[in-house]
Amino acid sequence: MRSSTWHLTSRRSALVVGLVAVVAAIVVVGMVSPSGKASGQAVAAEFRREPVGKTSVPAFTRSFGQDRNDLESPSNGGRAFLGNTPGLYAGSSDRQPCDRGDLIRGLQADPKKAATWSRIQHIGSANAIPDYVDRLTGAVLRSDTYAKVYGSRPGTKPSSAVLQAGTAVLVNQRGVPVVKCNCGSPVRMAAPPRDTRPTFTGPEWTGFSKSTVTEIQSAPKAAKRVVMLGVAGKSELFKRPLGDGGTGGDSSEDTVLAKADYPPYLAMPGEQGAPDLPEAPKPGETPADTITPLETKRPSGSPSGGMPEAQTSDQPTDPGQQPTDPGQQPQQQPSDPNQTQPPSQPQPDPNQTQPQPPPPPNQPPPNQPPPNQPPPNQPPPNQPPPQQPPDQNQQPQPDPNQTQPPQQPPPSGP
């Protein structure tokens, strides 16, 4: 009995010890795992720098384009742009940086490469290459750009690369580069995955910075034209058709824009001679989220000078009265016979009969204008004339422009 109990206890102890050992091993492996997720560090994503005129994979064709070595990646380019964003690409007006005919001929000369190329581009067969290439447009990258470059040798893995600013490419109608013109290799836009830390290998060129590498995303729908920055001799903006369809579609001629026709925003403005326009919105944003209106709308009813309009008064103008605030309406006050009345004072109600005492000495009656002053040209609107009905017990009013004799008291009786 004791032997059985001892064996059971030993087995339980061994099982517990084994479980503890397994858990400890898992913890140790997680701590030393190269992924770095257990320790909170981001996973490294490697990108190889590809300078202009170079390639990191076996080429499909000989070069059929001309890269530029005089462009330095703008300092404000380290972000994502849609492919149809104005100013994302550069070039020379009326001059294509890539010869599409050379690309077609180079691929047709090697059927195996043509089949591989068409499979990578998802266009079906090699017979569809001419029609596909005719819908592409040559452009030059303005900034260092993330990309994935495909080689011609079977089994070759695509290279995660950073293409240097000045690299000539062919872009599709959504504004995304799909061919690298110095080697004919298909390219796809690629950026470091989320929660990764990009690292860079290969030759480093002047002006390279990991914070200025650009990501290009496909536009939501096909565009007919894209606005490019001219960098040949003088800086200008011009419109270039995206592909001609090969059947006499849009003209291949570029259109130089006047300043009045500039777009409302630009990718990487103020760099490489680009106009200092508002920065283009990020993918998913609308222009109203980022662009401040150049002029604030005035309140309704306000004149162009910004000052409120003076309100016109319905009261007659008194030539002897000092000017007052045009926005202040005169206040109506009751008539006081013992106080000097201003000339613009309203008259008492003519429908109400009330005796008026004689005016104090050297003061005109309330219904007459002050001496040495012309009477108003017309009575106030919506009021009857200021004349009062005659009163038998009231003396006649003297003429203010005539010397008045001293007033005599009325006779007391016969």
Side-chain angles (χ1 to χ4, degrees), residues 265 279-293:
Y265 52 81
E279 176 68 36
K282 296 180 180 179
E285 293 180 342
T286 59
D289 297 333
T290 57
I291 299 177
T292 303

Side-chain angles (χ1 to χ4, degrees), residues 215-276:
E215 174 191 354
I216 300 178
Q217 298 181 4
S218 177
K221 57 183 179 180
K224 293 183 178 181
R225 294 173 178 82
V226 66
V227 176
M228 298 185 181
L229 174 65
V231 291
K234 60 180 180 179
S235 297
E236 60 186 7
L237 295 180
F238 64 91
K239 279 185 178 180
R240 171 167 291 175
L242 286 176
D244 58 12
T247 58
D250 292 337
S251 173
S252 60
E253 295 182 356
D254 300 327
T255 304
V256 178
L257 298 180
K259 289 186 177 181
D261 299 327
Y262 279 2
Y265 52 81
L266 203 67
M268 299 166 284
E271 300 273 350
Q272 300 170 339
D276 195 11

